[in-house]
Amino acid sequence: MTSPAGSTPVFATRFDGPAVEQEVARDIVRRGLLVAPVLLLVSVIGWGIHGAESSAFAIALVLFNFAVAAALLAWTARISLSLMMGAALFGYLLRLAVITVAVLAVHNMAWVELWPMCLTLIVTHLGLLLWETRHISASLAFPGLKPSTKGR
């Protein structure tokens, strides 16, 4: 990238635009709360009340994971793009470790059913990400979510 005069190169070192990460994370959390009753119902039918409790714990972990990821990326993007890239990689590893520790911390408790908890962790993470891809804008004119077409 060059400066307007064309003489000295100009590099972006941080991002000063809107925090689209938080907008996307809020949308993912909203969708997660919409599907939570269905997941809880399936878990209670399949594994009883302990299955629903385990599934609720997993849903809370997933939504917390997305919220922390967005906050971390939005915060580091304002400081440095290099820091943001490092936060994306190492933040992922740290958040994966936190989920692992959380599951290991509760896996022997009386209310825990591992199958619904693990299935909910996997299905909710992947399902919400896939669902959100339909609503993400790949345009620099509208970063983050696609503009709403309601009312047209």
Side-chain angles (χ1 to χ4, degrees), residues 56-144:
F57 180 75
I59 292 167
L61 278 176
V62 169
L63 298 182
F64 176 76
N65 182 34
F66 285 131
V68 168
L72 189 61
L73 292 177
W75 174 60
T76 57
R78 301 250 180 246
I79 298 168
S80 160
L81 294 179
S82 298
L83 182 62
M84 184 185 74
M85 288 183 265
L89 173 62
F90 294 109
Y92 171 75
L93 296 173
L94 179 65
R95 290 180 291 110
L96 191 59
V98 167
I99 291 172
T100 303
V101 168
V103 170
L104 290 175
V106 301
H107 84 282
N108 284 328
M109 293 187 175
W111 59 269
V112 173
E113 290 285 341
L114 285 178
W115 274 104
M117 183 167 49
C118 293
L119 286 173
T120 302
L121 273 172
I122 294 167
V123 168
T124 307
H125 265 110
L126 295 176
L128 288 174
L129 286 173
L130 288 173
W131 191 4
E132 193 64 22
T133 58
R134 299 188 62 210
H135 302 280
I136 297 293
S137 172
S139 165
L140 291 176
F142 300 104

Side-chain angles (χ1 to χ4, degrees), residues 1-13:
M1 182 198 284
T2 60
S3 67
S7 59
T8 54
V10 177
F11 297 101
T13 58

